[in-house]
Amino acid sequence: MHFSFQNLLFLLVAVAGFGLFAWQARKIRANILVGRDRDMSGHVNERLWKTLLVAFGQQKMFKRLTPAFLHLIVYVGFIVINVEVIEIMVDGLFGTHRFLQFLGPLYSALTGTNELLGALVVLAVVAFWWRRNASVVRRFTGPELRAWPKLDANIILYVEVVLMVALFTMNAADLKLHQLEGKDLPGAFPVSSLLTGLFPDNLTALAVLERVGWWAHIVGILLFLNYLPSSKHFHIIMAFPNVFYSRLVPQGQFSNVDSITHEVKAMMDPSYAVPAPATNPDGSALAPTPFGAKDVDDLAWTNLLSAYSCTECGRCTSVCPANLTGKLLSPRKIIMDTRDRVEEKYNSPLIFHPSLYGAEAKHNPQEQLDKENHTLLRGYVTPEELWACTTCNACVEACPVNINPLESIIEMRRFLVLEESAAPNSLNVMFSNIENNGAPWAFSPSDRFNWADDLFVTEKTPVTA
Ligand code: SF4
Ligand code: SF4
């Protein structure tokens, strides 16, 4: 082990790379915490089990076998390649060469698997590129996938190829260098050994190529790490906390507004004791919060966490009955809009503002967006989209990382109804009927049993609202 200028340079590059990522991660954490508080404590074992199945085990991906298989290759490749990154980091910092070689046969298994997965990753990336750009997979064609999201998806694929090329350059040059020097290179290199013929027979050139591959691989990884916060690929980190904090209650169960629940209970049962409203620590009254959500800070922090976990895969939109029948609603777009809006209003991770890149192109020309009052509701998501939702939960069921677009939709609808009385007319009629008749229909409670008049019924008990 010897410490050289190269090690010092690597130390500086690594500190800069991880430091910049930590700076961006802090901004994203702050963005998530602008959401409303929601107590997610408890049920730790249940949550860990779900994280193991859904996030680590990719359980929900296996509903569609082709993309599941391709994704599995990239996912396992990512995990195994990370072991190699640890080796590169140690070598870079301490001047060692293939530090993990002391593992012996296990090292051969690791490097061999790494190479095979690297080659499969390149093939999977080609298939992904073709599916996204050349074939007509409907879920990759929504208006919200234009501009930055489309470019982003392709950048990720190109970067993965560049990283793999750098890896094979490093290994093949190192292998040939050792062969020409009559030495054994520890490890197994089933792919690179096929590529050595492409490399020169010159020792100096091979040493340079090995270093170029090594530096390109690790600098590429650090750049990619810092690109993640601006990309949908951030899900490779955020999917884990998002699944951990996802709902445990049955999917069809809606949350109630506590204050309204108390009011209704008090109406139904005069003896019901309405709890005293919560206060600040100094005993003063809490500032009133609006019903539902108008903007991102009215949503729960878990909804904002979900916005950073979305893979933009479109599985939710592809099963949404509203979307399938030509309505404007796309649950994927609701989640993407939430992330764009929180970064517009608060912190953008980088100086570059990806959410604004081609912002116009990302919206359907039919959307009636309010450009003056730029909030999540109306500035990004229109009431027309929200009222198209049938609350069927199909999007929630389909999401591979347990995102719940319906929760945000319901919160924005609540705002429209309870704060603006801006429900569609058909719903307003139903609300009046519930208020006046105790039922959604336009009939008096006393007429409720009229249908039984001609039946063999001897006595009717009048019903009151
Ligand atoms: S719950 Fe709403 S957004 Fe989700 S799939 Fe059903 S209709 Fe679409
Ligand atoms: S919400 Fe889930 S299903 Fe929908 S695009 Fe995002 S990750 Fe995919």
Side-chain angles (χ1 to χ4, degrees):
M1 180 170 90
H2 71 282
F3 199 75
S4 64
F5 170 73
Q6 213 182 134
N7 302 125
L8 182 65
L9 185 63
F10 179 77
L11 179 67
L12 292 176
V13 169
V15 168
F18 287 114
L20 185 59
F21 179 73
W23 176 70
Q24 297 194 72
R26 270 174 61 100
K27 286 184 162 202
I28 287 175
R29 182 174 179 275
N31 281 0
I32 291 170
L33 293 181
V34 300
R36 279 189 188 165
D37 195 20
R38 176 181 278 178
D39 182 13
M40 300 300 285
S41 56
H43 304 281
V44 174
N45 290 344
E46 204 179 336
R47 291 187 182 284
L48 283 175
W49 181 240
K50 197 163 50 152
T51 309
L52 202 63
L53 285 180
V54 177
F56 284 98
Q58 310 259 299
Q59 185 191 42
K60 290 170 99 176
M61 288 295 291
F62 284 91
K63 289 179 181 163
R64 298 181 194 198
L65 281 181
T66 309
F69 179 66
L70 295 173
H71 191 268
L72 187 70
I73 291 171
V74 176
Y75 172 66
V76 177
F78 168 75
I79 290 174
V80 176
I81 284 166
N82 271 330
V83 177
E84 197 222 0
V85 171
I86 295 172
E87 181 181 55
I88 291 186
M89 297 295 299
V90 175
D91 286 350
L93 287 173
F94 299 106
T96 50
H97 185 67
R98 298 195 178 265
F99 143 82
L100 287 176
Q101 59 181 279
F102 70 87
L103 295 173
L106 182 57
Y107 186 66
S108 296
L110 259 177
T111 46
T113 313
N114 201 3
E115 287 235 324
L116 290 175
L117 281 170
L120 286 173
V121 165
V122 174
L123 294 177
V125 162
V126 172
F128 275 136
W129 188 92
W130 184 81
R131 277 170 64 80
R132 250 179 207 277
N133 297 285
S135 76
V136 191
V137 179
R138 190 177 171 273
R139 67 190 166 96
F140 296 141
T141 59
E144 67 270 22
L145 279 202
R146 292 186 206 131
W148 172 250
K150 184 174 175 68
L151 181 62
D152 175 37
N154 282 329
I155 287 176
I156 293 161
L157 298 179
Y158 302 143
V159 169
E160 281 175 3
V161 171
V162 169
L163 289 179
M164 292 306 112
V165 169
L167 174 78
F168 290 130
T169 304
M170 174 182 84
N171 283 350
D174 204 12
L175 191 61
K176 188 153 187 180
L177 194 62
H178 279 71
Q179 284 168 355
L180 292 183
E181 288 175 339
K183 296 179 191 163
D184 274 341
L185 179 64
F189 303 94
V191 179
S192 296
S193 58
L194 303 175
L195 302 174
T196 50
L198 301 174
F199 284 70
D201 293 328
N202 181 306
L203 291 182
T204 313
L206 286 171
V208 169
L209 280 172
E210 190 272 341
R211 284 295 85 191
V212 168
W214 189 92
W215 275 101
H217 192 56
I218 193 62
V219 170
I221 285 173
L222 289 173
L223 286 175
F224 194 46
L225 181 71
N226 279 287
Y227 173 73
L228 287 183
S230 305
S231 161
K232 74 172 184 113
H233 218 54
F234 202 38
H235 76 265
I236 61 174
I237 296 171
M238 302 304 272
F240 296 92
N242 189 65
V243 172
F244 183 83
Y245 287 116
S246 55
R247 280 161 57 110
L248 297 175
V249 295
Q251 276 176 11
Q253 186 175 320
F254 286 123
S255 63
N256 287 325
V257 180
D258 285 344
S259 54
I260 295 181
T261 306
H262 295 315
E263 237 176 82
V264 172
K265 282 185 176 171
M267 272 169 59
M268 309 281 281
D269 173 9
S271 67
Y272 178 77
V274 176
T279 56
N280 289 313
D282 63 1
S284 59
L286 285 175
T289 48
F291 292 116
K294 182 181 188 188
D295 213 344
V296 280
D297 25 27
D298 299 325
L299 292 170
W301 66 268
T302 47
N303 300 129
L304 304 184
L305 174 67
S306 290
Y308 278 103
S309 316
C310 179
T311 71
E312 297 175 14
C313 65
R315 284 175 173 79
C316 50
T317 297
S318 71
V319 294
C320 172
N323 188 276
L324 288 170
T325 49
K327 310 284 191 309
L328 276 184
L329 174 63
S330 160
R332 169 175 57 191
K333 176 181 169 289
I334 305 277
I335 300 296
M336 291 169 70
D337 283 346
T338 304
R339 178 171 173 171
D340 286 353
R341 171 61 184 155
V342 79
E343 293 199 348
E344 181 198 42
K345 188 169 181 184
Y346 294 98
N347 298 302
S348 176
L350 281 177
I351 303 151
F352 167 57
H353 216 319
S355 62
L356 299 183
Y357 176 88
E360 290 300 317
K362 279 188 285 181
H363 289 280
N364 197 315
Q366 291 161 277
E367 282 173 76
Q368 304 287 313
L369 295 175
D370 182 346
K371 304 226 168 84
E372 306 271 300
N373 306 306
H374 209 53
T375 53
L376 178 64
L377 175 60
R378 294 209 167 87
Y380 283 79
V381 181
T382 59
E384 186 183 347
E385 290 168 74
L386 298 173
W387 292 115
C389 176
T390 65
T391 68
C392 67
N393 262 306
C395 53
V396 186
E397 178 63 32
C399 180
V401 291
N402 279 6
I403 291 173
N404 190 326
L406 179 57
E407 255 185 17
S408 305
I409 292 172
I410 292 293
E411 287 302 319
M412 283 186 269
R413 278 189 183 182
R414 267 190 184 143
F415 186 89
L416 287 170
V417 172
L418 295 172
E419 294 285 343
E420 295 188 343
S421 301
N425 223 13
S426 51
L427 285 184
N428 281 331
V429 171
M430 183 192 73
F431 293 149
S432 315
N433 289 337
I434 289 177
E435 207 174 327
N436 298 326
N437 304 332
W441 298 283
F443 306 109
S444 158
S446 57
D447 292 340
R448 199 172 286 174
F449 268 92
N450 286 357
W451 62 275
D453 277 350
D454 298 331
L455 299 177
F456 182 69
V457 177
T458 52
E459 203 173 302
K460 291 193 289 184
T461 310
V463 179
T464 50

